[in-house]
Amino acid sequence: MLVRGAVLTVVLLGLVAFSVLLAKVTLTPSPASEDLVTANLRPGRSLRQYAEDYTFLAACKQAGGNLLLGVPFGLLLPFFVPRRLRMIRTTLLTAVAMAVVELIQGALVEGRAFDVDDVILNTAGALLGYFVLGRRISHRYYTYTDASGSPGPSAEKPEAEPKRAPGPAARTKAAATKAAATKAAATKAAGTKAARTKAGQRDRPKPAASAPTKKRGARTGRTDGAASGGRRATGSGAVRSLLDRLRGR
């Protein structure tokens, strides 16, 4: 946390110092060139003028100066912009800032005018500074802050990936799995029902089969007893009649 604060403080001071230098260079009146400078709203017009009317050194000085004015933007702004689309945001911020400076020049500063080619050169200088050094140092800074558990002010949460719809093969496989699970559940339920039925048959008490047999036996015994009694009675009668006959003689 302390290192991050120190780095951001240094970068902010550098940005302020550069802003002061930029204001001194671009917003200083130049009465001597008041009759020579005209506004330029056509991209490339001033660049052609540098190539045709200026000497090589004067052209390098004019174009190179505008490039160098944009380099600090490419070095310092990546520390304050989000990681996503960092290069595009740095470019847009540089273009807007330099366009405002050029508008102030043309409207308020004597001997200076708005030039769209200056904005283009400043933006190109910011991209040059970003690709040469700004991208590397900002990447190392964010890597260090993420590793130390204190993400930078521009850290963004990763976006959640959209859910993809399952393909035909996945849907067919899911349907087959569901059918197999349903069949297994039905088979298990049938097995459980059969086991319950079998257990109920085992626990059911058996009917008493000896009662009718006993009754039948009792009835048979009575019948046999009656028959034997009859036979006995008949035998005793015959004996008595035989005795009576003998007595009569």
Side-chain angles (χ1 to χ4, degrees):
M1 189 68 179
L2 183 61
V3 175
R4 188 187 68 167
V7 171
L8 291 179
T9 301
V10 172
V11 173
L12 184 60
L13 291 176
L15 190 60
V16 171
F18 168 71
S19 300
V20 173
L21 178 62
L22 179 65
K24 185 177 180 179
V25 171
T26 58
L27 301 181
T28 302
S30 179
S33 57
E34 184 176 358
D35 297 334
L36 302 176
V37 176
T38 57
N40 176 30
L41 300 177
R42 186 182 302 175
R45 178 182 175 184
S46 296
L47 296 178
R48 287 193 299 269
Q49 186 178 2
Y50 297 156
E52 296 174 357
D53 300 338
Y54 285 55
T55 62
F56 179 76
L57 293 178
C60 290
K61 182 180 179 180
Q62 189 69 24
N66 287 319
L67 282 174
L68 290 177
L69 284 177
V71 169
F73 285 108
L75 299 178
L76 302 176
L77 287 180
F79 288 91
F80 298 99
V81 297
R83 299 183 186 181
R84 189 178 181 184
L85 304 176
R86 183 182 299 164
M87 182 189 69
I88 297 177
R89 294 183 181 184
T90 301
T91 304
L92 292 177
L93 287 175
T94 304
V96 170
M98 298 312 300
V100 171
V101 170
E102 290 292 327
L103 288 174
I104 294 174
Q105 280 184 347
L108 302 177
V109 181
E110 184 182 2
R112 296 185 181 274
F114 179 87
D115 194 340
V116 68
D117 286 337
D118 290 346
V119 178
I120 294 174
L121 289 173
N122 297 145
T123 306
L127 287 175
L128 181 64
Y130 175 78
F131 283 112
V132 172
L133 190 59
R135 180 177 58 178
R136 297 180 183 179
I137 58 177
S138 62
H139 178 71
R140 290 183 181 180
Y141 165 74
Y142 284 117
T143 303
Y144 176 78
T145 54
D146 290 344
S148 61
S150 56
S154 59
E156 293 181 348
K157 296 182 180 180
E159 297 181 356
E161 295 183 358
K163 296 182 179 180
R164 298 180 180 178
R171 289 196 294 267
T172 304
K173 186 177 180 180
T177 305
K178 186 176 181 180
T182 305
K183 186 176 181 181
T187 305
K188 186 176 180 180
T192 304
K193 186 176 181 181
R196 291 179 179 177
T197 304
K198 189 174 181 180
Q201 291 179 356
R202 289 179 180 177
D203 297 338
R204 185 180 300 174
K206 296 182 179 180
S210 58
T213 305
K214 186 176 180 180
K215 292 180 179 181
R216 290 178 183 176
R219 292 178 182 177
T220 305
R222 292 178 182 177
T223 305
D224 293 343
S228 59
R231 291 175 185 176
R232 290 177 184 177
T234 304
S236 61
V239 172
R240 287 179 182 178
S241 62
L242 180 60
L243 291 175
D244 291 340
R245 289 179 183 178
L246 288 176
R247 290 176 182 178
R249 288 178 186 181

